[in-house]
Amino acid sequence: MRIKPRQELMDIWSATARVAFVPVPGSRGKREWRWGGRDGSNSISDAEQLLCLMLPSTEIPQFRLDEPNSTDEDLLTVLRPFGGAIDIPQFLIGLVMEYLERYTAPDGTPIFSGGSYFSPCSPARSPPPSSARCRWWSRSRPRSR
């Protein structure tokens, strides 16, 4: 069996687009990004969704999307649900911006909520409510040692 890394990454992109970019109920052909993984939306699963698309396009030269005239046709075909060569990078940047807005508190600190990622060891116990919206320490806050 021969491993085909390029095809594997394109399959991941295709699956991500198929599962996360879904039709809007009651609309004609309009689609929207659906945040969340198998256990719902939280900063971890939402970041994983973004990384599936963004990591190859920023780290692997053959997968770059920032120069629409240079984007390979097979990549455009896989990402066609997001639009054409010019639309795709704009769409992805929009997703990053939406993610940052979702997980930034009003005071500007990032929110690293695990939400559904925290599960009890025993069904009788549940994680503390504070785990749902864990905020990173602000720079203005002194750290305790």
Side-chain angles (χ1 to χ4, degrees):
M1 182 168 99
R2 188 175 170 118
I3 297 174
K4 299 178 181 176
R6 181 180 177 84
Q7 186 59 49
E8 292 292 326
L9 284 172
M10 289 194 311
D11 290 347
I12 290 170
W13 276 6
S14 178
T16 301
R18 191 173 51 255
V19 170
F21 197 53
V22 297
V24 175
S27 71
R28 290 190 150 177
K30 186 174 180 184
R31 301 173 79 80
E32 67 183 3
W33 187 260
R34 180 177 53 200
W35 293 103
R38 66 177 176 252
D39 292 326
S41 180
N42 61 64
S43 66
I44 299 168
S45 63
D46 293 352
E48 289 172 341
Q49 278 182 308
L50 279 178
L51 284 172
C52 285
L53 297 169
M54 297 302 293
L55 190 64
S57 66
T58 57
E59 296 294 322
I60 303 170
Q62 296 85 352
F63 281 79
R64 291 185 63 174
L65 301 169
D66 59 335
E67 295 179 18
N69 292 337
S70 304
T71 305
D72 289 347
E73 202 55 45
D74 56 348
L75 299 179
L76 293 175
T77 300
V78 168
L79 297 174
R80 183 78 56 217
F82 305 142
I86 295 172
D87 305 315
I88 293 167
Q90 293 173 346
F91 176 79
L92 294 176
I93 294 299
L95 286 180
V96 171
M97 296 300 297
E98 187 177 332
Y99 176 87
L100 293 173
E101 289 169 7
R102 284 173 70 101
Y103 297 108
T104 301
D107 66 357
T109 58
I111 300 169
F112 293 108
S113 57
S116 58
Y117 263 54
F118 296 111
S119 59
C121 297
S122 142
R125 297 181 63 190
S126 60
S130 61
S131 67
R133 291 193 63 81
C134 179
R135 290 180 45 195
W136 192 254
W137 288 94
S138 165
R139 290 179 194 202
S140 62
R141 238 185 231 173
R143 286 186 160 177
S144 59
R145 292 187 181 209

